[in-house]
Amino acid sequence: MDKLKHSIHTAFKTSVEAVMPVRRGPGFDSGVLSPDEFVLAGDKLVRVCPTWAWASGDATLAKAYLPRDKQYLVTKNVPCARRARDMEAYAGGERALEGEDEGWVAAGEAHGGRRAGDEAGDEALPEIGALRLDGHGDGGNDGDDADDDIPDMEDYEDEDDDAVVLPAAITIAKQAGAANGGVDDDDIVKTRTYDVSITYDKYYQTPRVWLNGYDENRLVLKPQKALEDVSADHAQKTVTIDPHPHTGVPSASIHPCKHGSVMKKLVVMMTEDKGVPNVDSYLFVFLKFIASVVPTIEYDYTL
């Protein structure tokens, strides 16, 4: 989003919020929420998904129309192992199979998928039965000579103990990491993580998602870097960098200008399939929608 345009809109939005009344009536059917409905939906999310919790935030930034101890929702240390562009590249390389494999999908060539014509390579693979421990000949039994080459484990018995103590796998991994200049936790896969929070936006009358990231070494991630974990369709269009409304910390945010219309369509679809959903299910549907914007931030354990 253009910085100048965003700055002007933010100033306008702040001015309007200062004088506009707080929504009191129900808005779920229209894709929006009142503050009371937001709290009701948040309570259900926290109850069903313990990874989410209510937070109070900075007292000086508290909103009077929300309970003091329920200003916003947050889930912390959410893993994000891959960048969004990697997932999109993988999805773009898929191809449908035909013939006996019709109905299945093969990964793209760049991601381990087998190219057409690679079947010939399978012929170069030896049959399992043709392998011998000494690496020679075929699977036929040429006699008992091979048995003489197999060492007897009794030769390795410890005179002072009945069992031979072998180094643990984790010890080997740590030694290998140290030899390469690493530290003791090199056997642990390091990923980016995010604190994901949901606030109530008075102007748009919908929830709004905020992202505060940390790199693989738990150092604070610049908000602009979070764009790497947003789908290409949204990264430069609906994600903005703003101070978090309850902490003041600069954060990446998924702008809520389209949330109401999208949620209205989803509610209509749910109504046609299963009847009118309860308002306390709003955030579950909302998080499914947001997952398409940040596909590699793995916060969604709602189903």
Side-chain angles (χ1 to χ4, degrees):
M1 183 179 291
D2 180 78
K3 290 184 178 180
L4 178 59
K5 181 179 178 181
H6 175 59
S7 297
I8 294 173
H9 175 74
T10 300
F12 169 77
K13 177 174 176 290
T14 301
S15 300
V16 172
E17 284 184 336
V19 298
M20 71 180 293
V22 177
R23 185 184 185 96
R24 294 302 179 187
F28 180 57
D29 293 342
S30 301
V32 297
L33 292 176
S34 68
D36 291 341
E37 289 176 318
F38 174 72
V39 173
L40 183 65
D43 285 343
K44 178 67 173 293
L45 180 65
V46 171
R47 186 166 62 252
V48 175
C49 304
T51 52
W52 288 91
W54 283 109
S56 56
D58 188 333
T60 63
L61 298 174
K63 312 301 180 185
Y65 48 82
L66 290 170
R68 181 66 191 90
D69 60 340
K70 295 182 179 181
Q71 292 285 301
Y72 67 101
L73 293 150
V74 64
T75 180
K76 297 185 175 183
N77 301 318
V78 180
C80 180
R82 295 175 294 169
R83 308 288 70 80
R85 63 176 178 272
D86 297 333
M87 174 173 283
E88 290 166 356
Y90 180 87
E94 295 176 343
R95 61 184 177 85
L97 298 178
E98 300 176 353
E100 295 182 355
D101 297 322
E102 185 175 359
W104 293 87
V105 176
E109 295 175 5
H111 305 279
R114 196 168 57 181
R115 304 182 185 184
D118 278 356
E119 288 80 1
D122 292 344
E123 298 176 1
L125 298 176
E127 294 291 335
I128 295 298
L131 298 177
R132 282 178 49 180
L133 292 175
D134 57 6
H136 303 290
D138 56 27
N141 185 1
D142 295 335
D144 296 332
D145 293 342
D147 295 339
D148 297 334
D149 296 331
I150 301 176
D152 192 335
M153 290 305 295
E154 293 182 359
D155 295 338
Y156 292 92
E157 284 190 2
D158 193 323
E159 295 179 357
D160 300 325
D161 198 347
D162 291 336
V164 177
V165 179
L166 299 177
I170 191 170
T171 302
I172 296 174
K174 288 184 177 182
Q175 290 175 346
N180 290 313
V183 292
D184 284 347
D185 62 352
D186 272 358
D187 52 304
I188 299 175
V189 177
K190 297 180 180 179
T191 68
R192 277 188 186 181
T193 57
Y194 280 92
D195 292 346
V196 182
S197 56
I198 305 174
T199 63
Y200 179 78
D201 191 288
K202 179 182 177 183
Y203 182 82
Y204 289 104
Q205 302 175 4
T206 65
R208 182 171 182 174
V209 171
W210 301 79
L211 306 172
N212 294 96
Y214 304 88
D215 67 14
E216 291 78 0
N217 296 309
R218 290 296 296 166
L219 299 177
V220 175
L221 199 66
K222 292 182 179 180
Q224 291 79 2
K225 297 288 287 183
L227 294 177
E228 298 175 351
D229 299 314
V230 178
S231 70
D233 291 338
H234 300 87
Q236 301 299 333
K237 299 177 182 178
T238 60
V239 176
T240 60
I241 309 300
D242 294 293
H244 191 285
H246 294 285
T247 65
V249 176
S251 312
S253 173
I254 301 171
H255 202 271
C257 56
K258 302 294 184 182
H259 288 1
S261 59
V262 172
M263 287 300 299
K264 182 179 180 179
K265 292 178 182 178
L266 293 176
V267 170
V268 170
M269 291 171 59
M270 293 177 63
T271 302
E272 292 174 350
D273 292 341
K274 302 179 180 179
V276 180
N278 294 326
V279 64
D280 60 4
S281 65
Y282 184 101
L283 286 177
F284 294 92
V285 180
F286 176 75
L287 288 172
K288 296 296 182 185
F289 153 55
I290 294 297
S292 66
V293 182
V294 285
T296 58
I297 300 179
E298 303 173 20
Y299 66 82
D300 189 4
Y301 302 104
T302 57
L303 286 180

